Amino acid sequence: RSPSIPERNSLMTQIAILYPVFALALWTILVLCLIPVMRFRAAAKGEASVKDYRYGESSTVPGYVSLPNRNYMNLLEMPVLFYVACLLIFVTASNSATLVNLAWAYVATRIIHSAIHLSYNNVMHRLAAFAASNLVLIALWVVTALHVLGNVPA
């Protein structure tokens, strides 16, 4: 039996919260791909060797080589709370336009943070993007809690 139109629309509404999840996961994978590129580039220039990575990255590794790895680690820290919130929204069928917009705002601020970190790396600009992403994440969790606990109509 195929789902009726209202059931399909409801499912599509619920699935919408997963699109930002896929987007941030894809961004994380792209940043991950930068790590070997930068390491091989540094090795080819004689700026680093295999022994520099035996226990992670030694202090002799140039900063431009360490940045993608550090950014990748950032994308595995706070975003865990984002992934949990989005999955909670999905499995409890608590989705709303507000939650989807907050999820996309989080993804956007994380990408902006990464772009700053991986390019011109202005610490104050990076801090502003990081702070904005954390505020969005807090808002996402507050609204998620209200929806899941039934205090706000979904």
Side-chain angles (χ1 to χ4, degrees):
R1 164 183 174 259
S2 63
S4 67
I5 291 174
E7 287 172 338
R8 248 182 298 166
N9 288 343
S10 177
L11 180 60
M12 292 305 292
T13 301
Q14 287 306 89
I15 288 174
I17 196 63
L18 298 180
Y19 296 134
V21 169
F22 296 139
L24 189 56
L26 177 61
W27 181 255
T28 302
I29 291 165
L30 291 173
V31 171
L32 172 63
C33 291
L34 286 176
I35 296 170
V37 169
M38 300 310 271
R39 286 180 177 183
F40 284 122
R41 185 175 293 162
K45 291 180 179 180
E47 297 173 330
S49 69
V50 172
K51 68 180 180 179
D52 289 316
Y53 303 104
R54 186 170 181 182
Y55 301 109
E57 290 181 341
S58 74
S59 60
T60 61
V61 173
Y64 79 90
V65 177
S66 298
L67 280 177
N69 189 51
R70 185 65 204 130
N71 191 261
Y72 175 68
M73 288 187 285
N74 287 166
L75 290 167
L76 298 176
E77 293 167 351
M78 291 300 286
V80 169
L81 294 174
F82 166 76
Y83 293 127
V84 170
C86 290
L87 290 175
L88 180 63
I89 293 162
F90 181 74
V91 300
T92 60
S94 299
N95 203 4
S96 71
T98 300
L99 288 167
V100 171
N101 290 333
L102 284 168
W104 278 115
Y106 184 74
V107 171
T109 56
R110 291 308 306 197
I111 290 172
I112 291 167
H113 174 267
S114 288
I116 294 167
H117 198 189
L118 296 169
S119 61
Y120 69 99
N121 200 20
N122 180 295
V123 174
M124 294 310 291
H125 294 173
R126 202 173 83 215
L127 174 62
F130 182 72
S133 73
N134 287 332
L135 291 174
V136 172
L137 185 59
I138 291 167
L140 178 69
W141 267 101
V142 168
V143 177
T144 297
L146 292 174
H147 279 254
V148 169
L149 298 174
N151 293 327
V152 174

